[in-house]
Amino acid sequence: MGPARSHGRWRRRALWAAGVLVAGFLLIQLVPYGRDHSNPPVAGEPRWDSPRTAQLVRASCGDCHGNRTTWPWYSNVAPMSWLVQKDVDEGRHVLNFSEWNRPQPGVGELVDQVLSGEMPPTKYTILHSGAALSDAEKRALARGLERTYAQSPPAGIRGGDG
């Protein structure tokens, strides 16, 4: 078997593998999960302590923790659509600033996650550079959340702290 023949066999296998990958990518586009980009109505929002707190929440938290999600183009392409939908569904379930009329986590938990850098998550800030918070913005958001909870608490506190 000569070098030309083995090169041809390798090329056919590579083309076949590429075809399988393309076909698989096209097939997963048929999975319906991740395509419902509806935003439920806003049932109630906090009275923010300041416009700055409201702006920080919108920029860094709002897409996953509210009902005014901006759905980027890649949220229409599987498998990214699945990841985005999962994050929004989970985020709204845990904390939803657009449903302030129902129990929400206590402010201490939120402040801890913001100050530790856990929120917003890195996987979000990589694609949304405007959502990344400086240390000063983290402190401002934490203070703003504490003040907002004090003046406009949600309908109930979930998780044990206030």
Side-chain angles (χ1 to χ4, degrees), residues 53-82:
T53 301
Q55 184 272 328
L56 287 169
V57 167
R58 274 192 305 275
S60 297
C61 316
D63 277 341
C64 291
H65 295 288
N67 293 350
R68 293 186 175 134
T69 302
T70 302
W71 299 96
W73 68 268
Y74 55 82
S75 68
N76 293 300
V77 181
M80 281 298 289
S81 61
W82 305 340

Side-chain angles (χ1 to χ4, degrees), residues 53-162:
T53 301
Q55 184 272 328
L56 287 169
V57 167
R58 274 192 305 275
S60 297
C61 316
D63 277 341
C64 291
H65 295 288
N67 293 350
R68 293 186 175 134
T69 302
T70 302
W71 299 96
W73 68 268
Y74 55 82
S75 68
N76 293 300
V77 181
M80 281 298 289
S81 61
W82 305 340
L83 300 172
V84 172
Q85 188 71 56
K86 177 182 171 287
D87 286 348
V88 171
D89 290 348
E90 287 178 0
R92 287 176 176 170
H93 177 74
V94 170
L95 168 67
N96 193 329
F97 291 113
S98 297
E99 296 181 2
W100 214 239
N101 59 332
R102 70 173 177 87
Q104 303 293 336
V107 70
E109 184 179 340
L110 303 180
V111 166
D112 289 346
Q113 289 182 348
V114 168
L115 292 176
S116 71
E118 189 177 335
M119 285 290 155
T122 303
K123 68 181 177 180
Y124 183 76
T125 58
I126 286 172
L127 295 172
H128 303 86
S129 59
L133 297 170
S134 68
D135 287 341
E137 289 171 324
K138 288 177 189 177
R139 289 189 300 274
L141 179 55
R143 279 191 309 274
L145 288 170
E146 288 170 337
R147 290 180 189 141
T148 297
Y149 262 72
Q151 76 179 24
S152 177
I157 303 295
R158 222 180 29 226
D161 66 23

